[in-house]
Amino acid sequence: MNKLLVALGLAATVALVGCNKEKAPETGATTGEHLENAADQAGHDISQAADEAAAKTKAATEEATAKIDAAGEEAAKKTEAAAQDVKESAKEATAATAGAVEQGAADMKEKAQQ
């Protein structure tokens, strides 16, 4: 973007000086040739800036996709671990309840026999 601004500034400066069609002694090029060269350079700079922006956008998209994938895998692992914990807790609760029922039945049987 800075290259574009420099190129446009150069073009504006040349335009302000005037459209002198005579050869300039320092370069041998006419003002029209300078403007044409500046326009060509600006076109190349714009193209290069667009290519750089596309490459950076692609890299950012790939990085974001990788992070989203990693987060999805992590969430799946945590969900699976939580489900396993719930399953184990349910087994333990069922076993404790069954034990309490059996103990209560044994106590009742013992009292009934006395």
Side-chain angles (χ1 to χ4, degrees):
M1 190 59 146
N2 289 338
K3 291 178 183 178
L4 175 61
L5 293 174
V6 170
L8 291 174
L10 176 63
T13 302
V14 171
L16 288 174
V17 170
C19 292
N20 183 0
K21 296 295 180 189
E22 297 177 17
K23 297 278 183 188
E26 67 277 357
T27 63
T30 64
T31 303
E33 290 170 335
H34 282 294
L35 288 173
E36 184 178 332
N37 290 340
D40 287 343
Q41 184 61 47
H44 291 298
D45 290 345
I46 290 169
S47 177
Q48 183 179 2
D51 290 345
E52 288 175 11
K56 287 180 181 178
T57 300
K58 181 180 178 185
T61 301
E62 289 172 354
E63 182 179 350
T65 300
K67 287 182 178 181
I68 289 169
D69 289 346
E73 289 174 13
E74 183 68 20
K77 287 178 185 177
K78 288 183 178 180
T79 301
E80 184 178 341
Q84 188 63 32
D85 289 346
V86 168
K87 183 178 176 181
E88 290 299 318
S89 295
K91 282 182 183 180
E92 291 171 9
T94 302
T97 302
V101 168
E102 287 178 11
Q103 184 63 44
D107 290 346
M108 293 295 282
K109 184 177 179 181
E110 185 179 322
K111 285 184 183 184
Q113 288 177 353
Q114 291 178 352

